């Protein structure tokens, strides 16, 4: 069996949100603490890539199975995070998640991982919901590392430019819950997430 680790990318500047997305209040903690909880609850190791470790609460800094690192290369958005993750993690597969996925849970992660492991001849298996690709909710094979290293060296910082060179598989419609891939990038999207959470608590969904 190919071993897999999780990588959470929390190195963005959150310019559209206006404050660090990973620290937004959510459920019993924040976006980041809740996502780390979901990742690690079954024992999966987690690498957290952040250039602001001083922001992190003690519960994450001392959580079992969680390793924290800044970018090992000049920060260049998600690509520097991917390069860092491949250089640190030894596993063949990486479950890569952005920190702004408030509804991502262990059930959805397991569905994505199981689907990826059931495919053959792929470099990346990414979530696709309602026709939209989510490359930061995806499983990356170590075979793709060379391409990300090259993209960084060539200053090609668009994810899609490199994904176009790789064997990309996407999840079939209906595999994942629509809200599992919802990104809260703006204050309006944060409010939308909070309203959806209220609906779920009251059973409205």
């Amino acid at each position: 069996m190919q071993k897999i680790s999780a990588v959470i990318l929390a190195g963005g500047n959150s310019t559209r949100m206006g404050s660090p997305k990973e620290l937004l209040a959510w459920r019993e903690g924040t976006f980041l603490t809740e996502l780390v909880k979901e990742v690690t609850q079954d024992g999966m190791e987690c690498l957290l890539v952040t250039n602001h470790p001083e922001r992190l609460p003690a519960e994450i800094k001392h959580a079992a199975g969680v390793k924290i690192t800044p970018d090992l290369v000049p920060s260049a958005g998600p690509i520097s995070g991917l390069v860092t993750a491949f250089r640190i993690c030894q596993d063949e597969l990486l479950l890569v998640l952005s920190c702004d996925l408030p509804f991502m849970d262990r059930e959805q992660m397991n569905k994505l991982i199981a689907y990826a492991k059931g495919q053959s001849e792929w470099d990346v298996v990414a979530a696709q919901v309602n026709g939209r690709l989510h490359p930061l909710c995806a499983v990356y094979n170590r075979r793709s590392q060379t391409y990300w290293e090259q993209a960084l060296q060539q200053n090609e910082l668009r994810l899609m430019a490199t994904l176009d060179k790789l064997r990309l598989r996407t999840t079939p419609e209906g595999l994942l819950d629509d809200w599992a891939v919802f990104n809260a990038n703006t204050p309006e999207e944060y409010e939308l997430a909070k309203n959806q959470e209220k609906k779920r608590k009251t059973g409205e969904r």
Side-chain angles (χ1 to χ4, degrees), residues 26-53:
W26 188 250
R27 294 176 180 163
E28 297 176 4
T30 65
F31 275 6
L32 188 56
T33 59
E34 293 300 301
L35 186 56
V36 168
K37 194 185 302 181
E38 292 293 334
V39 165
T40 59
Q41 67 175 339
D42 289 340
M44 185 161 59
E45 293 185 355
C46 177
L47 176 68
L48 176 57
V49 183
T50 174
N51 292 315
H52 299 284

Side-chain angles (χ1 to χ4, degrees), residues 54-66:
E54 72 281 356
R55 294 176 181 169
L56 302 178
E59 65 185 284
I60 287 184
K61 291 180 180 179
H62 304 303
V66 177

Side-chain angles (χ1 to χ4, degrees), residues 104-170:
M104 177 55 65
D105 59 28
R106 191 66 189 153
E107 178 184 358
Q108 302 297 314
M109 294 177 203
N110 284 338
K111 287 181 179 180
L112 177 56
I113 292 168
Y115 181 77
K117 288 186 173 182
Q119 303 303 299
S120 59
E121 299 183 348
W122 58 270
D123 300 312
V124 181
V125 174
Q128 182 167 280
V129 176
N130 296 324
R132 183 183 173 193
L133 184 69
H134 296 269
L136 297 185
C137 180
V139 180
Y140 286 73
N141 194 297
R142 181 162 297 282
R143 288 187 297 265
S144 68
Q145 179 178 2
T146 301
Y147 290 85
W148 300 112
E149 297 272 3
Q150 290 174 349
L152 189 64
Q153 291 170 5
Q154 296 166 5
N155 201 38
E156 176 49 81
L157 305 183
R158 294 173 299 131
L159 282 175
M160 286 309 305
T162 300
L163 287 173
D164 285 343
K165 301 174 184 177
L166 298 172
R167 293 174 297 179
L168 173 65
R169 303 282 185 271
T170 58

